Structures are given as structure tokens and as C-alpha cells.
């Protein structure tokens, strides 16, 4: 079945406004580009199927998309073995990066990947996707207070695990 | 404010989680405590590193594939008002059909309705003795 031009335009607009960010979030969550593509597609198709019940004003669509994307990742992780990010970097290193920078980025990715999934989702939604805490609470299905608490735990865990590396490289 | 609280509050402030009053206490402590001020610089560098989001671009054509998948999964749905009207009409038709079955068959216009005959029930046939009844002698 073909989509009417007006309907097609609405879906394309949602993809244009949020697609790249949702895809990037999925890659950071899973460390797997192929899987992220599949989950991203499912996220937007679900948006399309439920579009009439979704408020699309005041930035309400973004938390809805991240909520679906997060749920898809968590459900998928229960079905499959965890991704081994040590051997499959989520993002290829830039050629011009210095060795230290590449090493640091690799360690940061690894430590983020080691976080429990709920903490990782909260951290990424705040630090990389730049959602507000009310939006994160909406996206992850917890209270705003719980979202802040999860974020602090994730951030403090990363700071603790990466601080020695920073000191080592600086010395 | 202790040194341990200072470091925690420092990152909280960067993340917009600290009230202005506590933020003022934090600045006061950092100004008076050189070790904390040094650690604060390290923390800022580390925070910048872990918050740095590397660019991840979606594969070319993913948007088109999404539109195609959405179109493939799109199913025709009858709008709600129409489905209510269809259900109502079906109910009316069913009621009419059931009512028509329970009524006598209508006659065509102009055709005389046959009179209902109320004929008396047929007389029973006279009973005839086919054999002679034998009466006992004592009664005679």
C-alpha cells in the first residue's frame, strides 16, 4: 500500500527532525550499527502506527521516540548475548586522532558500555542527546527524581573508572 | 562543605543539578582549598571527555527504507464513525429479517384474503357392536 503524499511528508519530517539523533543514540546504546538500523526503523514505524495518539508539540515527540528506542534495546538485549564493545567499537576512530585521544575515546566507550542498561540510557539521554530531566523521566518511565539519581550514579561511576586513566596520560 | 562534597557538587553544578545557594558555598570552598581546585580542573577535563558525543551518521537511504516499511505495514482501517454506522445498519437489517420470518406471508394487493372457516369438528362415527355382549345369568 502506498502512503498518501501528506502522510508521507509527516513521516519524513519526523525522520528529518529526530532520525539522526535517535540512530546515534541507538548506536551508543548497542555498539552495533546493523542492529541500530533495524531498531531505528522499528522505532519510526511504531511512531507511524501510533501517530494519532502522540502529541507532537513542545518537544513531546522526542521523549516518545527515545522511550520506544530504549524499550527496543532492552528487549533485544534480553533475547541476545551482550555486544562485546571491546572488539566492536561503536564508532570508527577518526584517522587524524592522536593515539592518546583514540585510546581515551575507546576507554570512554568501553566504560559507558559497561554501565547497566538503565543507567547507560539515562546517561546518554542527558549527556549526549541533551534531553532535560523531565524528558528523560518520560522516556525511561521513571520519576524525575529517579532519573536524576540514575544519572548521578552513571556519571560518578564513569568518573571513578576513568580518573586513573586521565592521571596516567597526563603524567 | 567537605572536600568530598565539593567534588560531587562540582559535577552536579555542571549538570544543572545544584541549587544556587550550594553553588555559592562550592565556589567559596574552591577558592580556599588548592587541592580541591586542582581536582576540579581534572574533573572538568574528564567530564568534557565522557560527555563528548562523537558524530554518528545514519546510513544513507535509511529514511527511505523507513517510509517504505511504514507503507508496507499500513493497513486500511474503516474510520470509527463509519464502522458505528455499519454496525447500526447491520442491526437494523437483522431485526427486519427476524421480524419478517415470524409474520404470516403477506398477500398481493387486490387478492382477497381467504375467509377463515370455523367448521365444527366432524361427528364421530356411530359405534356399532360387532359382537353380542354376553350378560351373566345371575344378573338376569
Amino acid at each position: 500500500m502506498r502512503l498518501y503524499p501528506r502522510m508521507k511528508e509527516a513521516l519524513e519530517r519526523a525522520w528529518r527532525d529526530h532520525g539522526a539523533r535517535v540512530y546515534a543514540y541507538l548506536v551508543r546504546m548497542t555498539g552495533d550499527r546493523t542492529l541500530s538500523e533495524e531498531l531505528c526503523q522499528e522505532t519510526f514505524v511504531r511512531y507511524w502506527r501510533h501517530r494519532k495518539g502522540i502529541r507532537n508539540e513542545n518537544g513531546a515527540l522526542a521523549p516518545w521516540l527515545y522511550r520506544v528506542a530504549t524499550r527496543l534495546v532492552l528487549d533485544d538485549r534480553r533475547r541476545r548475548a551482550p555486544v562485546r564493545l571491546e572488539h566492536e567499537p561503536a564508532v570508527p576512530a577518526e584517522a587524524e586522532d592522536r593515539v592518546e585521544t583514540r585510546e581515551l575515546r575507546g576507554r570512554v566507550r568501553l566504560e559507558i558500555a559497561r554501565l547497566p542498561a538503565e543507567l547507560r540510557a539515562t546517561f546518554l539521554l542527558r549527556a549526549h542527546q541533551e534531553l532535560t530531566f523531565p524528558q528523560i523521566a518520560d522516556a525511561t518511565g521513571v520519576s524525575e527524581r529517579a532519573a536524576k539519581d540514575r544519572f548521578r550514579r552513571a556519571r560518578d561511576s564513569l568518573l571513578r573508572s576513568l580518573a586513573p586513566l586521565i592521571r596516567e596520560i597526563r603524567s | 562543605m567537605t572536600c568530598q562534597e565539593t567534588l560531587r557538587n562540582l559535577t552536579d553544578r555542571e549538570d544543572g543539578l545544584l541549587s544556587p545557594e550550594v553553588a555559592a558555598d562550592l565556589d567559596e570552598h574552591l577558592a580556599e582549598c588548592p587541592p580541591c581546585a586542582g581536582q576540579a580542573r581534572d574533573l572538568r577535563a574528564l567530564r568534557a571527555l565522557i560527555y563528548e558525543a562523537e558524530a554518528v551518521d545514519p546510513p544513507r537511504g535509511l529514511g527511505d527504507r523507513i517510509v517504505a516499511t511504514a507503507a508496507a505495514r499500513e493497513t486500511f482501517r474503516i474510520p470509527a464513525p463509519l464502522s458505528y454506522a455499519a454496525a447500526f445498519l447491520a442491526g437494523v437489517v437483522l431485526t427486519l429479517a427476524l421480524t419478517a420470518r415470524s409474520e404470516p406471508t403477506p398477500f398481493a394487493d387486490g387478492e382477497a384474503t381467504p375467509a377463515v372457516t370455523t367448521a365444527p369438528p366432524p361427528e364421530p362415527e356411530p359405534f356399532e357392536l360387532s359382537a353380542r355382549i354376553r350378560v351373566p345369568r345371575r344378573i338376569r
Side-chain angles (χ1 to χ4, degrees), chain A residues 20-30 36 65-67 69-70 73 117 120-122 124-125 129 140, chain B residues 56:
Chain A
R21 294 179 66 75
V22 170
Y23 174 77
Y25 168 68
L26 285 165
V27 171
R28 289 172 188 135
M29 276 297 286
T30 64
S36 298
L65 291 170
Y66 285 117
R67 182 165 66 230
T70 304
V73 171
R120 184 164 71 252
T122 307
L124 290 174
L125 288 173
Q129 309 308 123
T140 53
Chain B
V56 184

Side-chain angles (χ1 to χ4, degrees), chain B residues 15-31:
Chain B
D15 293 321
L17 294 167
L18 208 62
S19 66
E21 296 79 21
V22 184
D25 288 349
L26 172 70
D27 286 333
E28 196 176 319
H29 181 90
L30 287 175

Side-chain angles (χ1 to χ4, degrees), chain A:
Chain A
M1 180 173 280
R2 285 169 62 85
L3 297 182
Y4 293 113
R6 204 177 53 176
M7 294 159 72
K8 187 181 171 196
E9 191 186 324
L11 181 55
E12 284 174 341
R13 188 169 55 245
W15 169 253
R16 207 168 42 243
D17 292 348
H18 304 282
R21 294 179 66 75
V22 170
Y23 174 77
Y25 168 68
L26 285 165
V27 171
R28 289 172 188 135
M29 276 297 286
T30 64
D32 183 332
R33 283 173 179 265
T34 308
L35 173 62
S36 298
E37 189 176 332
E38 185 187 313
L39 299 181
C40 192
Q41 182 165 304
E42 185 60 29
T43 302
F44 277 86
V45 170
R46 285 193 188 189
Y47 154 68
W48 183 245
R49 286 170 61 194
H50 298 94
R51 64 193 179 276
K52 285 176 186 162
I54 303 169
R55 290 177 295 119
N56 199 5
E57 69 277 4
N58 302 325
L61 179 55
W64 192 94
L65 291 170
Y66 285 117
R67 182 165 66 230
V68 173
T70 304
R71 183 52 50 201
L72 288 173
V73 171
L74 297 180
D75 289 348
D76 189 79
R77 283 173 59 82
R78 290 186 191 109
R79 289 200 306 268
R80 307 183 195 206
V83 178
R84 298 178 64 189
L85 285 188
E86 300 95 310
H87 306 294
E88 295 178 31
V91 184
E94 298 293 329
E96 64 270 22
D97 278 355
R98 290 166 52 215
V99 175
E100 292 87 350
T101 311
R102 278 210 298 271
E103 185 187 343
L104 266 176
R105 283 184 172 161
R107 277 297 302 275
V108 169
R109 274 199 301 271
L110 180 60
E111 294 302 331
I112 291 175
R114 279 178 176 162
L115 289 171
E118 286 80 7
L119 297 191
R120 184 164 71 252
T122 307
F123 176 78
L124 290 174
L125 288 173
R126 175 63 181 165
H128 290 182
Q129 309 308 123
E130 296 172 340
L131 263 62
T132 62
F133 281 109
Q135 286 178 322
I136 294 170
D138 190 9
T140 53
V142 296
S143 67
E144 190 179 333
R145 186 174 177 171
K148 286 179 178 175
D149 181 57
R150 281 183 177 182
F151 175 76
R152 277 198 184 100
R153 283 161 57 200
R155 179 204 61 196
D156 292 348
S157 169
L158 291 172
L159 291 175
R160 268 197 309 275
S161 54
L162 289 165
L165 185 71
I166 287 270
R167 279 198 293 271
E168 185 185 317
I169 287 175
R170 287 196 169 179
S171 61

Side-chain angles (χ1 to χ4, degrees), chain B residues 15-55:
Chain B
D15 293 321
L17 294 167
L18 208 62
S19 66
E21 296 79 21
V22 184
D25 288 349
L26 172 70
D27 286 333
E28 196 176 319
H29 181 90
L30 287 175
E32 294 168 354
C33 180
C36 275
Q39 283 204 326
R41 279 193 296 277
D42 284 353
L43 260 181
R44 283 201 185 98
L46 184 55
R47 185 184 175 280
L49 185 72
I50 64 173
Y51 280 45
E52 183 186 36
E54 294 168 281

